[in-house]
């Protein structure tokens, strides 16, 4: 596996492979890799000749009070996992921003609801770093997880609006055995918090059961999630039923929707979602 930390080297290698006829797949991550990331890499592998993974904890998407410094890191462990997963090249830049960086992308109104409410500059950081990475790696396709559903929609929109020649692929959310969505941040939970965080998925599952039983009202479905998280001592940031394309909240399930949730356990912010749809 090639490892690049300098942007020009990464670009030169990727271009060379592309000119030799290879189809390039790219998986951007913040490292501390788990099975969710590896499922993205497998999906990339099955769709391209060359798989490039980036590991970069992007300061542009963390607010001053957020967990940039506490974000878990394991460079050696990550390299080993990537080698075993058949990754061809790792892009591990020390920084991607010039000191005088001034250009930020806004994807509006998609970035406004859900996580955008409590993290107002989060998606401008995500969109900007993804655009930079696409310009450096020049992939044919890029693979993202549906766990970060709003991020996936923001990136899809940005690619369409700015004519990036990159196909975006969204891969299903991977869960722990108790249903908790896999996340690098789970490592920051104490055993007790980790146990209690299972309430997020229990709540979503209860909402799904209610939906299967005929409930279509957003408020009633959201109540299920709220109740489980509160009973487990978590702090709900939001739970919202939104249109799967626009991410605007809906009062009733009438087409494809996403029930999206963010909750804190012991100060660790976790997100999750469940997609469901009323048959047309
Ligand atoms: P991160 O390292 O958290 O920035 O995530 C990098 C990529 O992995 C993003 O596209 C995420 O959506 C995806 N990802 C993270 N966790 C999961 C998961 N549990 N299931 C599927 N994809 C995931």
């Amino acid at each position: 596996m090639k490892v690049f930390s300098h942007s020009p080297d990464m670009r030169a290698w990727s271009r060379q492979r592309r000119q030799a006829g290879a189809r390039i797949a790219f998986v951007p991550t913040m490292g501390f890799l788990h099975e969710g990331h590896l499922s993205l890499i497998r999906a990339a592998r099955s769709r391209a000749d060359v798989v490039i993974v980036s590991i970069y904890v992007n300061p542009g998407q963390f607010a001053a009070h957020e967990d940039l410094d506490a974000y878990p890191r394991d460079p050696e462990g990550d390299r080993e996992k990537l080698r075993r997963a058949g990754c061809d090249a790792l892009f591990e830049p020390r920084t991607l921003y010039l000191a005088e960086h001034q250009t930020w992308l806004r994807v509006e109104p998609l970035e406004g609801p859900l996580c955008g409410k409590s993290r107002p500059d989060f998606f401008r950081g995500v969109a900007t770093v993804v655009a930079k990475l696409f310009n450096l790696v020049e992939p044919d396709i890029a693979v993202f997880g549906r766990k970060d559903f709003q991020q996936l929609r923001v990136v899809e929109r940005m690619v369409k609006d700015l004519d990036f020649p990159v196909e975006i692929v969204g891969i299903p959310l991977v869960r722990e055995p108790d249903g908790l969505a896999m996340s690098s941040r789970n490592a920051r939970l104490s055993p007790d918090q980790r146990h209690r965080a299972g309430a997020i998925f229990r709540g979503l599952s209860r909402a799904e059961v209610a939906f299967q039983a005929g409930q279509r009202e957003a408020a009633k479905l959201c109540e299920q999630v709220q109740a489980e998280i509160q009973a487990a001592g978590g702090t709900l940031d939001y739970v919202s039923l939104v249109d799967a394309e626009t991410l605007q909240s809906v009062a009733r399930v009438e087409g494809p929707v996403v029930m999206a949730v963010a909750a804190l356990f012991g100060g660790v912010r976790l997100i999750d979602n469940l997609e469901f749809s009323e048959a047309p």
Side-chain angles (χ1 to χ4, degrees), residues 65-76:
H65 64 279
E66 291 179 344
D67 59 349
L68 174 64
D69 293 334
Y71 199 85
R73 290 161 217 251
D74 179 18
E76 279 313 307

Side-chain angles (χ1 to χ4, degrees), residues 25-27 39-48 50-51 141 143:
F26 177 46
V27 183
S39 75
L40 267 53
I41 294 167
R42 282 193 292 272
R45 181 84 281 155
S46 70
R47 288 169 169 82
V50 168
V51 176
I141 75 165
V143 184

Side-chain angles (χ1 to χ4, degrees), residues 44-249:
R45 181 84 281 155
S46 70
R47 288 169 169 82
D49 308 304
V50 168
V51 176
I52 300 175
V53 175
S54 66
I55 296 184
Y56 181 60
V57 183
N58 171 33
Q61 69 193 59
F62 287 80
H65 64 279
E66 291 179 344
D67 59 349
L68 174 64
D69 293 334
Y71 199 85
R73 290 161 217 251
D74 179 18
E76 279 313 307
D78 283 350
R79 281 188 192 198
E80 192 44 44
K81 286 176 191 161
L82 289 174
R83 273 190 208 100
R84 271 191 266 127
C87 167
D88 298 293
L90 165 62
F91 182 37
E92 216 175 23
R94 264 185 288 281
T95 180
L96 283 178
Y97 296 90
L98 301 171
E100 61 274 26
H101 183 95
Q102 298 185 20
T103 307
W104 297 98
L105 290 174
R106 286 276 182 201
V107 182
E108 289 170 317
L110 264 181
E111 65 164 55
L114 307 176
C115 288
K117 280 199 181 140
S118 52
R119 307 184 76 189
D121 287 335
F122 174 69
F123 289 111
R124 99 179 177 148
V126 169
T128 304
V129 84
V130 170
K132 286 169 75 65
L133 286 164
F134 283 1
N135 282 332
L136 294 170
V137 173
E138 298 182 345
D140 296 288
I141 75 165
V143 184
F144 290 82
R146 301 183 87 83
K147 181 207 165 221
D148 299 85
F149 196 86
Q150 189 172 14
Q151 169 172 283
L152 173 66
R153 287 288 181 258
V154 163
V155 170
E156 286 171 340
R157 187 74 258 154
M158 178 192 81
V159 160
K160 279 195 192 120
D161 290 348
L162 299 184
D163 303 300
F164 278 94
V166 182
E167 178 194 334
I168 304 299
V169 177
I171 296 298
L173 197 160
V174 179
R175 299 182 177 284
E176 298 285 357
D178 71 341
L180 180 67
M182 286 194 180
S183 165
S184 308
R185 287 197 169 92
N186 293 351
R188 296 189 48 219
L189 298 165
S190 70
D192 173 57
Q193 289 157 358
R194 168 65 191 80
H195 176 69
R196 290 189 288 118
I200 301 173
F201 181 65
R202 279 202 305 280
L204 288 171
S205 304
R206 266 176 63 173
E208 193 176 31
V209 169
F211 172 76
Q212 300 298 355
Q215 182 57 261
R216 294 293 179 270
E217 266 183 61
K220 294 268 189 262
L221 294 167
C222 289
E223 264 172 28
Q224 308 289 328
V225 182
Q226 203 173 348
E228 280 290 337
I229 290 173
Q230 272 165 4
T235 307
L236 191 67
D237 177 3
Y238 66 78
V239 53
S240 188
L241 193 76
V242 298
D243 179 280
E245 292 303 318
T246 66
L247 306 187
Q248 295 301 309
S249 63

